[in-house]
Amino acid sequence: MNAAIDNLTPAEVAVVAGVSMRDVHRVIDEHILPEGLYDVRCARSFRSDACVYIAFYFEAAGRLTSEERQRAIAQASRHSPAEKPTKIVHDGFLTIDFATFWTNVDKRLQRLNAARDQVSMDDGILGGTPVIGGTRVPVYDVAASVAAGYPIERILSAYPSLNREQVELAALFAEANPQRGRPRQRTGPPSGMKVISSQRKPRSVAR
């Protein structure tokens, strides 16, 4: 795994493994993963290779029983973090190849690294609000536009200092680092977004 990040939070694991937060918590609550792959002493955190086994467990649910998947994970995860991982597991008549899961997780870890690297926090810029590096554009405002379903072309027009890659990474960063507390209610467009046009229909008058 070339882009290893250890001590991943549940939200980061959900992004890297491609599963829901509920599923991430299930692997601990239901003792699906070997205990060495996660830590619950202070807050729930995971080794980066746990993402591989979480992705496998849920993607293979339609083909293998829970017991078969857990046995395969137990066998494949016996290596230490410093050792080369076991990618092919033989369990009786079953042969399970983890190579694709390692490749996909590694790609998503690299994207998460890139998302982290582009975020900057400086008390002198918007009071320390996370912004996209080299700009004054708040990361969570861009992510909110993506989550709201705005077309990428509209977002790029609204934030001319950004490119498509920066917008995609902003959305990924926000997904892996959700804001705590109640989201603020907006009374207008996100900070830094320009209103291109506004079309309002007149209210019909009751007769």
Side-chain angles (χ1 to χ4, degrees), residues 24-32 38-40 44 46:
V24 173
H25 289 296
R26 271 188 63 196
V27 300
I28 293 179
D29 296 337
E30 299 178 16
H31 306 289
I32 292 169
Y38 60 87
D39 190 346
V40 294
R44 293 185 168 189
F46 295 78

Side-chain angles (χ1 to χ4, degrees), residues 31-57:
H31 306 289
I32 292 169
L33 286 186
E35 292 184 0
L37 293 171
Y38 60 87
D39 190 346
V40 294
R41 286 174 294 182
C42 295
R44 293 185 168 189
S45 63
F46 295 78
R47 272 173 32 188
S48 54
D49 53 341
C51 299
V52 173
Y53 307 119
I54 293 172
F56 162 75
Y57 184 84

Side-chain angles (χ1 to χ4, degrees), residues 75-171:
Q75 188 174 339
S77 63
R78 284 176 187 155
H79 66 90
S80 72
E83 293 176 333
K84 190 174 181 179
T86 301
K87 294 189 177 179
I88 296 182
V89 168
H90 301 286
D91 181 14
F93 62 87
L94 282 175
T95 297
I96 300 170
D97 189 348
F98 283 87
T100 299
F101 296 98
W102 280 99
T103 299
N104 292 340
V105 163
D106 193 46
K107 288 178 181 177
R108 289 192 286 257
L109 272 172
Q110 290 183 45
R111 293 290 288 171
L112 179 58
N113 266 329
R116 285 177 163 186
D117 289 345
Q118 87 159 4
V119 175
S120 173
M121 286 181 284
D122 185 332
D123 289 340
I125 300 177
L126 301 181
T129 297
V131 298
I132 295 174
T135 76
R136 296 176 65 86
V137 179
V139 171
Y140 289 101
D141 283 357
V142 176
S145 297
V146 174
Y150 293 131
I152 185 69
E153 292 76 14
R154 179 177 176 182
I155 297 172
L156 292 173
S157 296
Y159 298 105
S161 62
L162 303 184
N163 58 42
R164 182 181 294 266
E165 174 78 352
Q166 289 172 310
V167 170
E168 291 175 355
L169 291 179

